[in-house]
Amino acid sequence: TMAQKRLSHQGEDGRIFKEARNCSFSRNFAICHDDDARRPTREGNSDLSSRSQNSTKTENLNFGVHIVFCIDISKSMSTCDAVMDGGKSAKRIKAVFSHCKKFVKEAIDTEIKNAGGLKVEWTGEPRSTNIYSLVLFNDIAKVQIRAEKLGGELLALLSRVEHKNRPMWGTNYSEAWRNIQELIDAFDNDSKNPKDAVIVFLSDGRPGDLPTKCPQMVSQLPEFYTSHAVVKSSACRHLRSLAQRLGPRLKLHTIGIGREDKAWLAMLTSLARAHNAEGGRFPP
């Protein structure tokens, strides 16, 4: 069981990761079908993707579930109101990466247990066929880890990404969802062997690219937004497209961090559910 840790004074804690996993992962982390140390350029954050990002087409891989972490690294994520082990205060971003790494470590422990519980270094090919990706976003977004298999290299990549990106700028949900959609589409290109996708979307604030007041109904959500006089597809449009295509094969978990308004996170889960995808919000 994952250690309980608060992520803010309102009580967001390690429970949210445990609940997200229990809602969406059984067999090796699969589905149980429950309801910048280095400053990034303006064109993109520090990129440590484990696979080439130059190719627009990706070969189909024999994997089970594509698990995508999408983490907000806007300036507010440097707020030091998270509580770690022993009651020590930490920045929100540090707490989030800590939980992501524990999430992966627990999966590795499960692999060892399934292999007979041998207390030896696990270096073989994983029994799990799931793959893991990571998107970071603020005013911009970029894939940092692309379709990595479970193992020590995935943990090492998470640590490297954490140390090479620091919170800055604003919060643009639409850029994040554009990257999520492109990433999932790239690894779900075999109609005869479709893949489930699980998205864990973590943010601590209201998106700057969407209306200040979140609409009350899914039908009122904006399809587009304007950035520097350029009209672009909104986060709602990207998520709707994914949900319509994948249906129940898509599981979305939005996790609110800190005390800021979570209305948009709640609406994203409602949008997913409106198109037969599964959605959960933590805390509820």
Side-chain angles (χ1 to χ4, degrees), residues 37-211:
R38 177 178 66 193
R39 180 183 178 90
T41 66
R42 200 69 186 181
E43 286 71 37
N45 295 309
S46 302
D47 180 16
L48 293 172
S49 172
S50 59
R51 297 177 186 270
S52 171
Q53 299 193 41
N54 296 325
S55 175
T56 57
K57 293 185 178 180
T58 307
E59 62 177 304
N60 185 66
L61 300 178
N62 182 25
F63 63 86
V65 180
H66 192 174
I67 301 161
V68 180
F69 292 103
C70 187
I71 299 177
D72 180 349
I73 57 166
S74 60
K75 186 176 180 180
S76 59
M77 287 293 286
S78 63
T79 302
C80 194
D81 63 358
V83 180
M84 304 292 283
D85 283 334
K88 183 179 179 180
S89 295
K91 293 180 179 180
R92 294 174 180 178
I93 191 65
K94 181 176 179 61
V96 166
F97 270 100
S98 175
H99 286 300
C100 284
K101 286 183 282 189
K102 285 192 174 187
F103 197 79
V104 172
K105 286 177 181 177
E106 285 199 350
I108 293 175
D109 288 344
T110 299
E111 289 289 310
I112 294 174
K113 182 178 179 180
N114 290 343
L118 299 177
K119 299 300 182 181
V120 296
E121 184 177 1
W122 180 65
T123 57
E125 281 296 309
R127 294 160 62 95
S128 170
T129 56
N130 298 339
I131 57 172
Y132 298 76
S133 296
L134 170 67
V135 175
L136 298 185
F137 73 98
N138 41 42
D139 284 338
I140 57 178
K142 196 160 188 177
V143 176
Q144 299 286 322
I145 298 174
R146 182 183 295 265
E148 185 68 32
K149 291 183 178 180
L150 183 64
E153 179 62 19
L154 176 59
L155 282 173
L157 284 169
L158 283 170
S159 293
R160 289 167 60 194
V161 170
E162 178 183 5
H163 293 137
K164 290 183 177 295
N165 291 275
R166 62 187 177 89
M168 62 178 66
W169 307 331
T171 308
N172 188 313
Y173 279 16
S174 299
E175 279 297 292
W177 279 97
R178 178 179 65 80
N179 277 261
I180 292 172
Q181 182 179 8
E182 291 175 357
L183 182 62
I184 290 176
D185 285 347
F187 290 92
D188 186 39
N189 56 6
D190 184 354
S191 60
K192 295 181 180 179
N193 188 25
K195 316 300 183 187
D196 284 8
V198 176
I199 302 167
V200 183
F201 188 88
L202 306 98
S203 179
D204 71 344
R206 182 189 65 78
D209 54 306
L210 299 173

Side-chain angles (χ1 to χ4, degrees), residues 267-284:
M267 185 51 66
L268 289 178
T269 61
S270 296
L271 175 59
R273 289 171 175 168
H275 294 284
N276 297 317
E278 295 185 22
R281 179 169 58 100
F282 307 100

Side-chain angles (χ1 to χ4, degrees), residues 233-260:
S233 293
S234 73
C236 310
R237 185 179 177 87
H238 290 298
L239 173 54
R240 180 180 287 110
S241 177
L242 271 177
Q244 287 175 335
R245 186 172 70 79
L246 298 179
R249 293 196 290 116
L250 174 66
K251 283 79 181 172
L252 168 64
H253 301 287
T254 60
I255 298 178
I257 304 160
R259 293 176 285 182
E260 286 81 354

